[in-house]
Amino acid sequence: MTLSKFFKGKQLPAEDLGDGLSRKILGHDHEIMMVQIDFENGAIGQAHHHLHRQTSYIVSGRFEVSIGNETQTMGAGDAFYVEPDEVHGVVCLEAGTLIDVFNPAREDFI
């Protein structure tokens, strides 16, 4: 499998996920994946869990982030970590963008 080493975000097509969400895969191999998720105001990243480790950086906007039984309001420059199989989700309070990094890569996104 040959993977690209350079990703120009403005040239990548966004995948419309519906309900005010879109996604761009910014780079990956089998072990790691970086993804940009754009949220419209009020969009919801439904509570879910997966076997992947995840760390997320908030590029812009404001989000109510829930991880397990804890919820915090977070904004640009903030980040959060989610352990494997931990329930998590976000509510977008102000339109914005998250950068998610997964280990291993999310094969279901490809």
Side-chain angles (χ1 to χ4, degrees), residues 2 23 34 41 46 51 65 80 83 86 93 99 106:
T2 302
R23 171 173 63 210
M34 184 166 58
N41 191 41
Q46 296 293 333
L51 62 87
V65 179
F80 57 93
E83 294 183 19
E86 191 167 31
L93 304 174
I99 299 295
R106 295 286 305 260

Side-chain angles (χ1 to χ4, degrees), residues 19-32:
D19 298 322
L21 299 167
S22 64
R23 171 173 63 210
K24 291 182 182 183
I25 297 175
L26 301 177
H28 71 92
D29 65 11
H30 298 294
E31 295 300 317
I32 194 166

